[in-house]
Amino acid sequence: MNILMVCLGNICRSPLADGLLRSKVKRDGLAAIVDSAGTANYHVGGPPDERMTETAMNNGIDISSLRARQFEVSDYDNFDLIYVMDKSNYHNVTRLARNDKDIDKVKLILDELGHSNNIQEVPDPYYGGQAGFDHVFDLLDRSTDIIIEKLKND
Ligand code: 4NP
């Protein structure tokens, strides 16, 4: 199973989702390949936002070596599942889809939290304070726990 995490800049939310899932896949000895990308090209080649890297590190996840790249149509061929952080990402990714099979691969990551969850989108923490980064960590930690359980049951 190849899983791609997507946000806008690929420097805050999707690198964390990538780092969390990668670390849990390794911890549990699963075979999945995990990567991340942004729909925009603003930060291509750059490292994750320092505030996200620090928040992740404080929780035992090292995302410092990840580098931003832009989502491309070939990602539809290379990944089985494409998790987007918000509806704007969903729109930007699915407008590059070539067919229904491509579209079926794209899911809002917070949909994994199910009915108990009352927010659909991972808020963009870029222009906010530390509380926003902690909130993103909590949402993505819980979502990736559920993704891991699904991978184990595959
Ligand atoms: P991300 O956050 O999509 O979670 O990586 C953002 C990072 C940078 C910008 C926007 C969102 N930006 O406009 O530069």
Side-chain angles (χ1 to χ4, degrees):
M1 186 67 98
N2 294 353
I3 300 177
L4 184 67
M5 302 294 190
V6 176
C7 63
L8 175 61
N10 193 207
I11 59 167
C12 294
R13 294 165 292 175
S14 62
L16 180 66
D18 178 345
L20 278 164
L21 191 63
R22 249 184 234 223
S23 127
K24 292 172 188 182
V25 160
K26 191 171 174 198
R27 175 196 69 196
D28 295 348
L30 300 171
I33 287 172
V34 183
D35 194 14
S36 61
T39 59
N41 63 4
Y42 321 133
H43 299 282
V44 167
D49 185 286
E50 279 176 18
R51 298 163 295 175
M52 196 79 264
T53 303
E54 199 176 310
T55 305
M57 199 63 97
N58 288 341
N59 287 281
I61 305 289
D62 183 2
I63 59 170
S64 62
S65 62
L66 298 178
R67 292 294 176 267
R69 72 172 180 87
Q70 191 170 21
F71 179 82
E72 48 196 62
V73 174
S74 61
D75 287 318
Y76 278 120
D77 298 319
N78 296 331
F79 293 90
D80 305 295
L81 264 174
I82 299 169
Y83 282 113
V84 293
M85 303 296 129
D86 63 31
K87 291 175 187 173
S88 165
N89 308 149
Y90 184 89
H91 176 73
N92 288 324
V93 168
T94 53
R95 77 195 159 116
L96 297 175
R98 300 155 300 183
N99 50 49
D100 287 351
K101 187 167 163 256
D102 285 352
I103 292 175
D104 284 348
K105 293 183 176 186
V106 188
K107 301 188 187 314
L108 280 167
I109 192 164
L110 293 190
D111 280 356
E112 293 293 358
L113 294 179
H115 298 305
S116 61
N117 172 47
N118 52 14
I119 73 168
Q120 277 193 302
E121 306 183 286
V122 182
D124 186 345
Y126 192 64
Y127 295 106
Q130 184 57 40
F133 286 86
D134 291 337
H135 186 217
V136 166
F137 187 91
D138 174 60
L139 291 170
L140 293 177
D141 192 29
R142 290 194 282 131
S143 306
T144 51
D145 275 347
I146 292 169
I147 295 167
I148 282 287
E149 288 313 310
K150 287 191 169 175
L151 288 175
K152 285 183 186 168
N153 293 326
D154 257 358

